[in-house]
Amino acid sequence: MNIFRRIWLSVSSSKYYQELIIKKSGRGAAGYYIKFALLGALAAFLVFMATQFSDLRSGVKTVPVDQLVDYYPEELVLTWDRGELRTNVSEPYLVPLPEAWREEDRPVPNGSSKPVAYLAVIDTKNSLSVEQFSAYGTFIWLGQKQFMVGDAKGEVRILPYNNQTSFTLSREVIERWGEYAKTFFHYLPLVFLPLIYLGVLFYFSYLLIYLLVAALLVWLILVIKKVPNASYWLAYKLGLHLLTLPILVRGALTLLTDFYLPLGVFSLILLVMAAVLIRIENKV
C-alpha cells in the first residue's frame, strides 16, 4: 500500500485499525514507521533547505574573520620554546581593547573596580602578581613561564605554559588561520544538511522509546474497549500508527510557528486517536 495512503488511514480510519488488530505480525507496522520516519526526515530536510539554508549561509558570511585578524598587532611575534615565552617587542607590551569593546566599562576579572583597558599585557620581565594584574587593567597577562587570567567568578588564576610545546605566533600565522577559518565557515552550512536529516531520524528513534511507556495507556484503552487478545505488544504495534497525527501536528507547528508541542499535548493527541479510531464494530 502507498505510504501516503497509509499515513492518511493512520489518522482517519477506524477500519484500518481493525485490520491491524487482526494481523498477527508486527512487521507491517514496523515497516510503516520506518518509511514514515524516512519521509519525515526528507520533508524536514526540504523545508530547511527552502526556508533556512540561505539565511544560514548569510549568517555565516557575517562572521568577522578579517576584523578578528586585524586585532593582532602586525609587529608582534610571540615564541614559546619548551614552556618559556620570548617576544620581539619592548615590555610591558599592551594590546588595547578593540574599539567595539570600549563602548562600556568592563571590570577587571579579579573584581577590581578599575575598567579593563587592555585585551592583553605581555610582560616576561616581572613576576606575576594580582596587584600588578589589577593595575594593568587587562584580561590576560602573559609572563615568561606562566600566564594570569581572570575567570567569570572574578577570581584570578595563574597557569603554566605547556613545556612540551614550541611554536611561534605572528600576524602571518594569524592571517593563515584566518584563511582556514574562512574556508571552514564557507562550507559549514553544508555540514548542517546531513545533520538535519540524521537529527530527525534520531527524533523518530526517540519516539520508539517514548512509545514503550505510551503503549501502556494504549493497552488500557484496548482493555476498556474489550479488544480481543489485547496485549502490550498489540498496543505497541498500534502505537506505531497512532504516533502519526501527533508527529504531523508537532512538525507542522515547529516548522511554521517555531512552537514546540509539549509532550503532554502530544500524548493527549495520541490517546484521543486511540480512543476514537480503535473500535470493535464487528467481531474480530
Side-chain angles (χ1 to χ4, degrees), residues 46-144:
L46 295 176
V47 170
F48 175 82
M49 286 290 294
T51 62
Q52 303 294 328
F53 187 68
S54 60
D55 292 339
L56 178 62
R57 299 207 69 167
S58 298
V60 166
K61 290 179 180 179
T62 63
V63 177
V65 174
D66 290 333
Q67 185 178 355
L68 294 174
V69 169
D70 288 339
Y71 287 158
Y72 192 91
E74 293 186 11
E75 72 279 3
L76 179 61
V77 178
L78 301 175
T79 302
W80 282 268
D81 185 9
R82 296 182 180 180
E84 290 193 13
L85 173 62
R86 301 194 309 271
T87 73
N88 66 329
V89 292
S90 299
E91 300 180 19
Y93 185 86
L94 309 177
V95 181
L97 282 174
E99 288 291 337
W101 291 22
R102 299 180 192 176
E103 296 178 357
E104 57 179 289
D105 291 341
R106 297 171 182 267
V108 174
N110 63 9
S112 169
S113 59
K114 180 179 178 180
V116 170
Y118 300 100
L119 184 62
V121 171
I122 302 167
D123 183 355
T124 63
K125 310 302 181 184
N126 297 307
S127 299
L128 303 181
S129 68
V130 173
E131 293 77 13
Q132 188 60 49
F133 181 79
S134 178
Y136 278 143
T138 184
F139 282 113
I140 184 170
W141 175 2
L142 300 179
Q144 183 179 20

Side-chain angles (χ1 to χ4, degrees), residues 254-276:
T254 301
L255 294 173
L256 298 177
T257 68
D258 291 332
F259 175 76
Y260 187 77
L261 192 70
L263 183 61
V265 180
F266 183 95
S267 301
L268 180 61
I269 295 174
L270 183 145
L271 295 177
V272 170
M273 286 276 296
V276 171

Side-chain angles (χ1 to χ4, degrees), residues 63 115 156 179 199 208 231-232:
V63 177
V156 175
E179 292 302 315
L208 293 176
S231 65
Y232 176 81

Side-chain angles (χ1 to χ4, degrees), residues 119-186:
L119 184 62
V121 171
I122 302 167
D123 183 355
T124 63
K125 310 302 181 184
N126 297 307
S127 299
L128 303 181
S129 68
V130 173
E131 293 77 13
Q132 188 60 49
F133 181 79
S134 178
Y136 278 143
T138 184
F139 282 113
I140 184 170
W141 175 2
L142 300 179
Q144 183 179 20
K145 296 183 179 181
Q146 300 168 311
F147 66 97
M148 179 177 281
V149 63
D151 60 23
K153 297 180 180 179
E155 299 178 353
V156 175
R157 297 188 178 188
I158 298 178
L159 302 171
Y161 301 125
N162 188 339
N163 58 13
Q164 302 298 319
T165 302
S166 298
F167 70 97
T168 298
L169 189 64
S170 65
R171 178 61 175 266
E172 181 181 355
V173 172
I174 295 297
E175 289 177 346
R176 186 162 61 248
W177 289 354
E179 292 302 315
Y180 294 151
K182 289 180 183 179
T183 302
F184 170 78
F185 285 120
H186 177 76

